[in-house]
Amino acid sequence: MKSSPGARSWIAAGVRHELLTRALPALRHDMAAPVSVIRMALLMLKRQVGAATIDAAACEERVALIDNQVSELVHAIRSLRDWELATTDDGITRSALVAQCVSLMRSAFDLHGVALDATDSVAAQEDEPRWPAGAALRYLFLGALGYLHDGVVEAVTIRIEADGADALRLSALPREPGATQAVLDAHRAPRALAIDAVALQNLAEDLGYAIALERDSVRFSLAASGG
């Protein structure tokens, strides 16, 4: 039985949830790191205030550090809004999209023996155009990474490169014959929630983007279909 539009939207929502779950460790680290620094600074400040002679300059330095880390924490918390599709955002450049998503997933992919290679073609440039709907593009990019990570089990590198002026291409490169894999093999354990072609296509259609899937590559436009 063919799924209804509502059912397909639920499938896409489930894919977005899975992608956010995968990104959560990095997001959690960004929020936890300032808290650790604040706790240490407060401990040092407490000792300095309790000393026989108070070093005003040292206290001011600790207070400035705490203030800076509170700002970092607030920024990290506010960044969670970037994942809400209903929130209007200022868009995103191609280079910023690649940098953000690679930063989020690099550690997790490294643990599975898969490297992320962002080529020079996606480096920041002057007067880069900003593409609307940064949240949607972030989900789409992470979905493409997940598709190649979960599906191409022999891949050891996922290459990210520009494709024309308004698109990205991600390609899974296999291990060279005879190469050895240190620490962990690239064959991941089966995932019940793997991002397969059906899941990624549903996500792209729900977000309103055209995507071209092959077994070992994904290409998608940064402009929404009809936009």
Side-chain angles (χ1 to χ4, degrees), residues 25-219:
L27 297 173
R28 198 162 50 230
H29 176 271
D30 289 344
M31 287 184 279
V35 174
S36 298
V37 176
I38 291 170
R39 291 183 64 184
M40 182 60 68
L42 285 172
L43 177 61
M44 297 300 296
L45 183 60
K46 182 178 179 180
R47 291 179 179 176
Q48 289 164 350
V49 171
T53 303
I54 296 178
D55 186 339
C59 290
E60 290 178 1
E61 181 180 343
R62 300 299 177 189
V63 170
L65 175 61
I66 292 171
D67 182 65
N68 175 263
Q69 292 302 304
V70 168
S71 297
E72 291 290 330
L73 180 59
V74 170
H75 174 75
I77 293 172
R78 286 178 175 171
S79 71
L80 292 176
R81 293 181 301 183
D82 295 342
W83 297 87
E84 299 175 14
L85 294 178
T87 302
T88 301
D89 57 53
D90 297 327
I92 194 168
T93 63
R94 178 162 58 186
S95 63
L97 174 67
V98 172
Q100 287 181 18
C101 293
V102 168
S103 176
L104 283 170
M105 303 309 299
R106 187 184 295 279
S107 295
F109 278 45
D110 283 346
L111 286 174
H112 290 145
V114 180
L116 295 179
D117 175 25
T119 66
D120 291 340
S121 66
V122 291
Q125 301 176 5
E126 292 185 8
D127 301 323
E128 272 191 271
R130 298 186 71 86
W131 301 95
L137 287 171
R138 188 177 296 103
Y139 278 116
L140 189 58
F141 189 100
L142 292 178
L145 284 179
Y147 168 77
L148 295 175
H149 174 277
D150 295 351
V152 188
V153 295
E154 70 271 20
V156 290
T157 300
I158 295 177
R159 177 172 295 166
I160 304 153
E161 54 194 341
D163 192 332
D166 62 351
L168 281 167
R169 179 177 294 277
L170 286 72
S171 305
L173 307 181
R175 185 186 311 168
E176 295 181 1
T180 58
Q181 176 69 26
V183 185
L184 292 174
D185 192 87
H187 290 267
R188 272 76 70 193
R191 289 184 60 93
L193 297 175
I195 307 298
D196 58 15
V198 174
L200 184 55
Q201 193 68 56
N202 265 286
L203 176 68
E205 290 177 1
D206 188 70
L207 295 174
Y209 289 86
I211 190 167
L213 301 180
E214 296 182 14
R215 177 184 174 276
D216 57 1
S217 70
V218 179
R219 182 194 184 277

